[in-house]
Amino acid sequence: STLGGQVGGSPEEIHTNEKEVTEKEVTLHLLPGEQLLCEASTVLKYVQEDSCQHGVYGRLVCTDFKIAFLGDDESALDNDETQFKNKVVGENDITLHCVDQIYGVFDEKKKTLFGQLKKYPEKLIIHCKDLRVFQFCLRYTKEEEVKRIVSGIIHHTQAPKLLKRLFLFSYATAAQNNTVTDPKNHTIMFDTLKDWCWELERTKGNMKYKAVSVNEGYKVCERLPAYFVVPTPLPEENVQRFQGHGIPVSASGNPKRCGSLTENVTTSMSVNNDLTSLLLFLFLDNSTEFWDTDIKWFSLLESSSWLDIIRRCLKKAIEITECMEAQNMNVLLLEENASDLCCLISSLVQLMMDPHCRTRIGFQSLIQKEWVMGGHCFLDRCNHLRQNDKEEVPVFLLFLDCVWQLVHQHPPAFEFTETYLTVLSDSLYIPIFSTFFFNSPHQKDTNMGREGQDTQSKPLNLLTVWDWSVQFEPKAQTLLKNPLYVEKPKLDKGQRKGMRFKHQRQLSLPLTQSKSSPKRGFFREETDHLIKNLLGKRISKLINSSDELQDNFREFYDSWHSKPTDYHGLLLPHIEGPEIKVWAQRYLRWIPEAQILGGSRVATMSKLLEMIEEVQSLQEKIDERHHSQQAPQAEAPCLLRNSARLSSLFPFALLQRHSSKPVLPTSGWKALGDEDDLAKREDEFVDLGDV
């Protein structure tokens, strides 16, 4: 029951419609193992549109998996708009791990909520890690229900948790009949010796590297996976000498030359309680806030230094690629824990050099190898247990943003879309998948019940995020695959024999540092504003303090960009200032004012797909004339139709109400005077700098 009532409406108006609200409430759907903890009725969810604060009445509930608002606003959407729906997390659902900050409004003053409250707010504001903002009016909710729901939400989203108390285990225990993905279209998990041998065979690296099982049962090192790759000359019995220090693995080129590109990357990453500068101006409670910051949006973006850090990561990956591709050098990545920047930089290098990593299966296998098996501390870096805020660092999001830059610049080279990257970033906070909820393979295995010999229960079957059918229906999954992807041409046997892979690097594994370096920070000291919030302490530089590419790198970079792009060969990004852009679909998708209705790349894509569909239709008619039976219908991405009605932030922002606010903030219009007064000013210069 969508009511146009304002916050200031009288209690009598609310109670008049309370019966109608109750009758039309949406049913709460619980996942296997999910339990309802607390709830409150007659809650008004504001529409994030303008200061009038219209909204929808319904029930606010908190389970051990999510916070959910149950109203009747979903019925207003037509079929086209509801086809890209997440089956696990609804439009009005917030997983507990996705909650970033909780605020309460007391007498028009906004305050952060934490711990035990002496006074309860009349308005609740929830900022999510996917940048959604939810606002709930509790003015007409019963006092006891307000206390219960606010206290419950604060406790279950902010209190430190034990690993075994995560919903991940409750879900896995209750859903024992989970199915495994089709092995023919299977992401390589790198949890068996066979997977590593397959990778060596694929990259032609089995002459210089070998897969070893010396760490089975994690006898040598708990930080390493059970199976991994080491240089062939290294005897297996000598691997134990590296106990606790990691195993050296280098990227191959000419084995006679070895240059240490990362002389000393000492990362002591920590995050302050404050949000990063980027997120500070992207969290908007209403449209008025958007227009008030619009006039200084680019200066705020620049001061955050987020785009500069992305550019520096891409630049470093290009430098390493140049060493391997042009100079035929080995490259050794050094980092204090080898689970942050090593994962990021090595993944980017392989993405640029190996076209297989640009397919969906290849990209997922890359993440499994470099991040999951490489020991990236997802549990700590995402702060899933809420035990140490200083350890929370969005390294994986930084990686996905770097990948998006490549996807945006070279769309035909990637089998997946930016929508795929966006939903992958969202999946970091959905605790039914094991992929992003452990610090290491050892931690995962020891918590899956395999060690419990005295119990009769079977080992838990944890889902992997790579089975996208868990989250999306087949029609929605079509938006994860790029229809413009250029398929790799098949080569005959004669051509295959002449092929040689230069990129045979297998895994970045920890290496202890020999001594500290006196060099300046990896991301220069001028980026302090973001570094303090994002990366904590200074990060040592990879090669030099110069912000410009050295001569040999510049020559390599310019030479590649001067030639036609081979989408199945080496792929380099543009890293000049204007080429590094904001990932709008990820960061701006919940802001209606940031949309371009019927415009942007989605409109171009829609027209291209219409042409593809028409060609397919004509081909089917030709086939029908040559065959008696009807040819099978080709599945077309039907969600991308009618480009004039689509938003530039499709498919997350569809046909949202477009704000009629002016391009200038409200304060600016007041300074310019009213419309009648403005119309009389002929040929008068209005200095907007004073606005």
Side-chain angles (χ1 to χ4, degrees):
S1 57
T2 305
L3 303 178
Q6 299 181 6
V7 180
S10 66
E12 290 76 18
E13 291 179 40
I14 302 298
H15 293 305
T16 301
N17 296 292
E18 191 170 347
K19 183 178 179 181
E20 181 186 355
V21 170
T22 306
E23 290 174 351
K24 291 189 177 181
E25 276 180 352
V26 178
T27 305
L28 173 63
H29 297 287
L30 299 176
L31 294 176
E34 185 178 3
Q35 295 182 346
L36 177 64
L37 301 175
C38 51
E39 63 179 304
S41 56
T42 324
V43 174
L44 176 68
K45 173 181 171 286
Y46 291 126
V47 176
Q48 187 182 348
E49 190 178 54
D50 51 29
S51 56
C52 292
Q53 295 181 325
H54 291 74
V56 179
Y57 286 102
R59 232 178 356 137
L60 185 62
V61 304
C62 180
T63 72
D64 55 352
F65 168 66
K66 65 178 180 285
I67 301 165
F69 177 77
L70 308 176
D72 193 39
D73 54 341
E74 292 184 4
S75 61
L77 298 174
D78 58 38
N79 289 332
D80 285 341
E81 293 193 66
T82 58
Q83 284 180 334
F84 191 74
K85 266 188 157 184
N86 192 307
K87 298 193 292 184
V88 178
V89 183
E91 181 185 358
N92 290 320
D93 295 346
I94 315 165
T95 65
L96 301 182
H97 295 280
C98 192
V99 174
D100 188 69
Q101 292 286 341
I102 301 175
Y103 301 93
V105 175
F106 304 84
D107 300 324
E108 304 301 323
K109 292 182 180 179
K110 180 178 170 182
K111 299 180 180 178
T112 306
L113 300 183
F114 55 89
Q116 294 289 335
L117 301 182
K118 295 181 180 179
K119 183 181 178 183
Y120 289 85
E122 59 192 40
K123 183 177 177 182
L124 189 68
I125 303 175
I126 301 177
H127 285 187
C128 306
K129 292 181 179 179
D130 61 5
L131 298 181
R132 287 181 297 169
V133 176
F134 287 86
Q135 301 184 63
F136 303 103
C137 175
L138 306 173
R139 187 177 298 176
Y140 307 110
T141 309
K142 294 178 182 178
E143 186 177 350
E144 285 302 313
E145 291 185 1
V146 171
K147 291 180 180 179
R148 199 178 302 122
I149 193 68
V150 173
S151 300
I153 288 175
I154 292 174
H155 174 75
H156 293 291
T157 58
Q158 296 184 354
K161 302 176 182 66
L162 297 174
L163 178 59
K164 278 286 192 177
R165 299 301 299 270
L166 290 180
F167 180 72
L168 175 72
F169 296 98
S170 302
Y171 180 83
T173 303
Q176 290 290 348
N177 58 343
N178 293 334
T179 56
V180 182
T181 51
D182 181 7
K184 293 180 181 178
N185 192 26
H186 185 242
T187 298
I188 306 300
M189 305 301 287
F190 292 97
D191 55 358
T192 66
L193 193 64
K194 183 180 178 181
D195 288 348
W196 288 99
C197 292
W198 180 90
E199 179 72 355
L200 284 176
E201 179 68 25
R202 184 188 70 82
T203 59
K204 308 295 186 289
N206 42 11
M207 296 297 294
K208 299 174 183 177
Y209 297 94
K210 62 182 178 181
V212 295
S213 58
V214 68
N215 199 38
E216 274 186 338
Y218 306 97
K219 294 175 290 189
V220 175
C221 182
E222 293 181 354
R223 294 170 57 194
L224 299 178
Y227 311 97
F228 47 82
V229 167
V230 296
T232 302
L234 181 68
E236 281 197 40
E237 57 270 16
N238 289 356
V239 173
Q240 297 189 18
R241 293 194 299 117
F242 293 89
Q243 190 169 20
H245 301 300
I247 314 299
V249 177
S250 62
S252 74
N254 186 337
K256 295 181 180 179
R257 302 178 61 193
C258 183
S260 178
L261 185 61
T262 55
E263 296 224 354
N264 193 2
V265 184
T266 55
T267 60
S268 179
M269 293 189 176
S270 63
V271 171
N272 300 328
N273 293 330
D274 298 334
L275 296 172
T276 64
S277 301
L278 176 74
L279 304 184
L280 276 173
F281 68 94
L282 291 179
F283 275 126
L284 302 172
D285 290 351
N286 51 56
S287 297
T288 302
E289 286 191 10
F290 174 85
W291 293 115
D292 286 342
T293 60
D294 180 61
I295 203 167
K296 53 185 178 181
W297 199 87
F298 285 105
S299 60
L300 290 170
L301 176 64
E302 183 180 5
S303 67
S304 75
S305 299
W306 176 256
L307 297 185
D308 187 54
I309 287 187
I310 292 170
R311 186 183 65 82
R312 289 171 177 270
C313 289
L314 292 171
K315 170 179 172 285
K316 193 53 55 186
I318 294 173
E319 291 175 354
I320 295 173
T321 301
E322 191 274 340
C323 282
M324 297 174 65
E325 185 77 12
Q327 301 185 41
N328 206 20
M329 293 175 62
N330 289 329
V331 176
L332 195 64
L333 298 177
L334 293 172
E335 189 182 8
E336 185 177 17
N337 56 13
S339 62
D340 290 316
L341 289 180
C342 269
C343 298
L344 191 153
I345 299 298
S346 63
S347 298
L348 288 178
V349 170
Q350 292 174 78
L351 204 65
M352 293 178 189
M353 299 186 72
D354 189 351
H356 174 71
C357 295
R358 302 196 284 267
T359 65
R360 197 164 88 176
I361 295 299
F363 183 69
Q364 293 172 175
S365 300
L366 176 69
I367 293 174
Q368 278 293 138
K369 180 178 65 174
E370 295 294 333
W371 295 82
V372 179
M373 290 299 158
H376 179 65
C377 300
F378 283 105
L379 194 67
D380 294 340
R381 291 296 182 240
C382 298
N383 201 15
H384 288 316
L385 299 181
R386 294 282 182 172
Q387 291 181 352
N388 190 350
D389 290 346
K390 292 183 179 180
E391 287 294 316
E392 185 174 3
V393 184
V395 183
F396 190 67
L397 177 61
L398 178 61
F399 165 66
L400 293 181
D401 205 330
C402 291
V403 176
W404 178 85
Q405 303 293 334
L406 280 161
V407 171
H408 182 75
Q409 293 181 22
H410 306 287
F414 293 85
E415 189 184 25
F416 50 86
T417 62
E418 71 165 334
T419 300
Y420 169 87
L421 295 173
T422 301
V423 297
L424 182 57
S425 72
D426 292 341
S427 301
L428 280 169
Y429 311 110
I430 303 179
I432 67 171
F433 306 111
S434 63
T435 311
F436 304 128
F437 276 82
F438 294 101
N439 284 336
S440 66
H442 170 260
Q443 186 184 53
K444 176 183 175 181
D445 287 349
T446 54
N447 284 279
M448 283 178 63
R450 292 177 178 174
E451 75 286 356
Q453 301 294 332
D454 54 336
T455 62
Q456 296 180 353
S457 59
K458 297 180 181 179
L460 293 178
N461 182 23
L462 302 180
L463 286 179
T464 172
V465 73
W466 311 126
D467 187 356
W468 293 104
S469 63
V470 176
Q471 295 192 64
F472 301 103
E473 296 291 351
K475 284 186 178 180
Q477 288 185 58
T478 60
L479 294 178
L480 308 183
K481 186 174 182 179
N482 181 12
L484 304 182
Y485 172 64
V486 177
E487 294 285 348
K488 185 176 182 179
K490 294 183 179 179
L491 303 176
D492 57 37
K493 292 182 180 179
Q495 289 176 298
R496 287 175 191 167
K497 288 182 180 179
M499 287 184 64
R500 175 178 174 268
F501 280 88
K502 289 186 179 180
H503 44 281
Q504 295 167 357
R505 188 196 171 284
Q506 297 302 323
L507 177 64
S508 301
L509 295 174
L511 283 148
T512 52
Q513 59 184 59
S514 55
K515 59 182 180 179
S516 59
S517 169
K519 295 183 179 180
R520 292 182 60 206
F522 169 42
F523 304 132
R524 69 174 189 272
E525 292 175 347
E526 285 79 3
T527 61
D528 268 355
H529 194 55
L530 183 65
I531 296 302
K532 288 178 181 177
N533 290 321
L534 176 67
L535 303 177
K537 299 180 181 179
R538 286 171 54 185
I539 301 175
S540 295
K541 191 143 164 66
L542 294 180
I543 289 188
N544 52 61
S545 58
S546 173
D547 192 40
E548 297 298 323
L549 291 173
Q550 294 179 357
D551 291 341
N552 53 339
F553 296 128
R554 172 58 66 182
E555 183 181 352
F556 173 73
Y557 176 83
D558 290 341
S559 174
W560 187 89
H561 283 291
S562 66
K563 302 172 184 176
T565 303
D566 175 9
Y567 292 122
H568 289 284
L570 181 66
L571 195 72
L572 299 183
H574 290 279
I575 58 172
E576 292 81 7
E579 298 294 342
I580 305 300
K581 302 183 184 300
V582 176
W583 184 3
Q585 190 191 73
R586 174 62 173 79
Y587 302 120
L588 306 177
R589 54 185 157 154
W590 313 120
I591 305 174
E593 293 77 14
Q595 298 178 47
I596 305 173
L597 296 179
S600 192
R601 280 200 172 189
V602 69
T604 306
M605 177 75 76
S606 177
K607 291 297 183 185
L608 286 171
L609 292 178
E610 285 178 16
M611 293 174 63
I612 292 173
E613 206 170 318
E614 186 176 352
V615 170
Q616 287 178 338
S617 177
L618 291 171
Q619 184 63 50
E620 287 165 12
K621 290 179 180 178
I622 293 172
D623 292 341
E624 284 179 30
R625 292 191 176 186
H626 288 80
H627 302 88
S628 56
Q629 73 257 24
Q630 187 173 348
Q633 287 283 334
E635 184 179 1
C638 57
L639 296 182
L640 269 173
R641 284 185 180 154
N642 198 345
S643 58
R645 299 176 71 244
L646 292 177
S647 160
S648 58
L649 303 180
F650 176 86
F652 300 97
L654 292 148
L655 299 180
Q656 298 182 16
R657 288 178 292 273
H658 195 57
S659 174
S660 58
K661 288 286 182 177
V663 176
L664 290 176
T666 309
S667 56
W669 286 105
K670 290 179 180 177
L672 292 175
D674 58 32
E675 294 180 13
D676 294 335
D677 194 37
L678 193 63
K680 296 175 183 177
R681 304 183 191 179
E682 295 183 4
D683 302 322
E684 181 182 351
F685 174 72
V686 180
D687 187 3
L688 299 183
D690 297 331
V691 177

